């Protein structure tokens, strides 16, 4: 959390409260969407909402927004790597 | 404290945090492997997974999601409090986090014991006689939520240690790496649940 000017970023209580509100709203949407019975789309929507939530937690609760570029790239890299693992597994699974 | 001392301390704190992140990456892949198994079997046995998920209580799942999200906020807030040198507030917020974690655990306990009453547990006769896909669903359910619950327990211990460290001054407004890393661990527990919840409870 040390920024370029050498100062540490301190998240305000209010901003953390807003982040929680957003997360709870997304959870509500996620539960409501399940009730609509959209078939295969409901999985996609649930996962998209979950990804937005994870990104929000990473950015604000885990302070990634205020981290240095190196750590940001590492975190992005790990998620990209995992996405590739999933994609490659499914390519293998469906083209077998 | 001299500028150089402050500088070297900052580097130490940065490297300490980098180490924590690298550990969190390994945790992500530990659960990631299970998510991958889940994804493949779900694609293969989607009807059975649907039937299996009907057995899970969406209300308990949603309530636990709320507990973990709020606890993640209080953990982040406790770091803000210690950075602002508000020790008592930081301790209170950590205690709140641990309480919410305990509520999560309690919910999980009731949920699991309810399953056990119906003889639904790994290796039980009832489970063995279920269709293959449902057996896989419950196997993954117990494995993933069980592994997650162990992480909740470890998180509770780590956060409790921080309360003592704040009390005896080892964690303060200038030295808070331990609290920062413990909070990161707690957020990871939250992150994993964010994916577990829709995948296990919200299947239609």
């Amino acid at each position: 959390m040390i920024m370029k000017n050498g100062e540490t970023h301190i998240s305000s209580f209010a901003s953390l409260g807003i982040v929680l509100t957003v997360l709870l709203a997304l959870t509500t949407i996620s539960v409501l969407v399940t009730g609509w019975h959209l078939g295969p789309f409901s999985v996609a929507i649930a996962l998209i909402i979950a990804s937005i939530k994870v990104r929000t937690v990473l950015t604000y609760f885990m302070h990634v927004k205020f981290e240095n570029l190196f750590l940001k790239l590492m975190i992005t890299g790990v998620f990209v790597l995992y996405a590739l693992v999933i994609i490659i597994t499914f390519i293998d699974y469906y083209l077998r | 404290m001299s500028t150089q001392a402050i500088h070297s301390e900052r580097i130490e704190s940065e490297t300490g945090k980098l180490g924590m992140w690298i550990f969190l990456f390994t945790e992500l892949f530990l659960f990631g492997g299970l998510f991958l198994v889940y994804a493949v079997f779900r694609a293969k046995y989607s009807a059975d997974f649907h039937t299996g998920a009907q057995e899970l209580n969406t209300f308990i799942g949603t309530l636990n999601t709320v507990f973990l999200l709020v606890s993640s906020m209080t953990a982040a807030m406790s770091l803000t409090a210690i950075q602002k040198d508000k020790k008592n507030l930081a301790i209170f917020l950590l205690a709140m986090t641990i309480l919410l974690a305990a509520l999560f655990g309690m919910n999980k306990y009731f949920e699991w014991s309810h399953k056990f009453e119906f003889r639904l547990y790994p290796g039980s006769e009832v489970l063995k006689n279920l269709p293959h896909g449902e057996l896989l669903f419950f196997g993954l359910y117990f494995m993933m939520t069980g592994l997650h619950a162990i992480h909740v327990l470890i998180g509770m211990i780590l956060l409790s240690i921080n309360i003592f460290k704040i009390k005896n001054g080892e964690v303060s407004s200038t030295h808070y790496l331990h609290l920062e890393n413990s909070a990161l661990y707690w957020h990871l527990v939250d992150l994993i649940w964010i994916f577990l919840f829709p995948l296990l409870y919200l299947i239609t």
Side-chain angles (χ1 to χ4, degrees), chain A residues 54-64 75 79, chain B residues 21 191:
Chain A
V54 162
R55 206 192 143 86
T56 312
V57 170
L58 279 165
T59 312
Y60 298 101
F61 284 170
M62 296 172 97
H63 310 288
V64 174
I75 296 165
F79 279 95
Chain B
W21 272 103
L191 283 190

Side-chain angles (χ1 to χ4, degrees), chain B residues 79-143:
Chain B
L79 183 65
T80 300
I82 201 74
Q83 285 169 330
K84 291 184 174 176
D85 209 14
K86 293 174 181 165
K87 283 190 173 188
N88 289 332
L89 183 62
I91 290 173
F92 170 75
L93 287 163
L94 279 177
M96 282 299 291
T97 313
I98 294 164
L99 177 76
L100 286 160
L103 286 173
F104 176 93
M106 199 179 73
N107 248 343
K108 197 92 257 165
Y109 168 78
F110 286 127
E111 201 186 8
W112 275 36
S113 39
H114 186 67
K115 296 265 169 314
F116 291 177
E117 271 174 39
F118 290 99
R119 305 238 168 267
L120 267 178
Y121 50 84
S124 75
E125 284 303 313
V126 177
L127 204 62
K128 276 182 196 163
N129 293 325
L130 284 177
H132 198 56
E134 277 186 57
L135 174 70
L136 284 167
F137 176 82
F138 282 109
L140 281 165
Y141 162 77
F142 282 116
M143 183 67 201

Side-chain angles (χ1 to χ4, degrees), chain B:
Chain B
M1 206 187 289
S2 72
T3 327
Q4 205 179 358
I6 293 174
H7 184 69
S8 72
E9 210 179 279
R10 281 212 165 134
I11 288 177
E12 208 177 289
S13 148
E14 284 297 282
T15 47
K17 200 160 58 180
L18 184 63
M20 186 67 195
W21 272 103
I22 292 171
F23 168 67
L24 294 185
F25 295 157
T26 69
E27 290 276 66
L28 275 176
F29 272 85
L30 171 68
F31 280 93
L34 287 167
F35 279 119
L36 195 60
V37 173
Y38 173 94
V40 170
F41 282 132
R42 183 173 166 172
K44 205 170 176 181
Y45 300 100
S46 49
D48 285 345
F49 268 55
H50 174 71
T51 323
Q54 297 285 306
E55 299 284 322
L56 302 186
N57 189 328
T58 313
F59 176 73
I60 291 185
T62 313
L63 195 64
N64 266 350
T65 306
V66 174
F67 285 155
L68 276 195
L69 288 177
V70 178
S71 75
S72 221
M73 180 197 68
T74 52
M77 278 182 166
S78 76
L79 183 65
T80 300
I82 201 74
Q83 285 169 330
K84 291 184 174 176
D85 209 14
K86 293 174 181 165
K87 283 190 173 188
N88 289 332
L89 183 62
I91 290 173
F92 170 75
L93 287 163
L94 279 177
M96 282 299 291
T97 313
I98 294 164
L99 177 76
L100 286 160
L103 286 173
F104 176 93
M106 199 179 73
N107 248 343
K108 197 92 257 165
Y109 168 78
F110 286 127
E111 201 186 8
W112 275 36
S113 39
H114 186 67
K115 296 265 169 314
F116 291 177
E117 271 174 39
F118 290 99
R119 305 238 168 267
L120 267 178
Y121 50 84
S124 75
E125 284 303 313
V126 177
L127 204 62
K128 276 182 196 163
N129 293 325
L130 284 177
H132 198 56
E134 277 186 57
L135 174 70
L136 284 167
F137 176 82
F138 282 109
L140 281 165
Y141 162 77
F142 282 116
M143 183 67 201
M144 289 166 109
T145 58
L147 192 62
H148 181 262
I150 291 171
H151 280 76
V152 171
L153 270 178
I154 296 170
M156 286 169 81
I157 294 166
L158 285 176
L159 294 168
S160 312
I161 292 170
N162 276 287
I163 292 185
F164 290 105
K165 282 191 181 274
I166 292 172
K167 275 190 176 157
N168 69 21
E170 274 179 65
V171 169
S172 66
S173 60
T174 49
H175 296 78
Y176 47 77
L177 178 66
H178 195 276
L179 177 60
E180 201 174 5
N181 280 351
S182 307
L184 281 178
Y185 186 86
W186 190 250
H187 297 311
L188 177 93
V189 170
D190 188 28
L191 283 190
I192 289 160
W193 185 258
I194 289 175
F195 274 118
L196 277 182
F197 170 61
L199 289 178
L200 294 175
Y201 293 82
L202 298 180
I203 305 180
T204 53

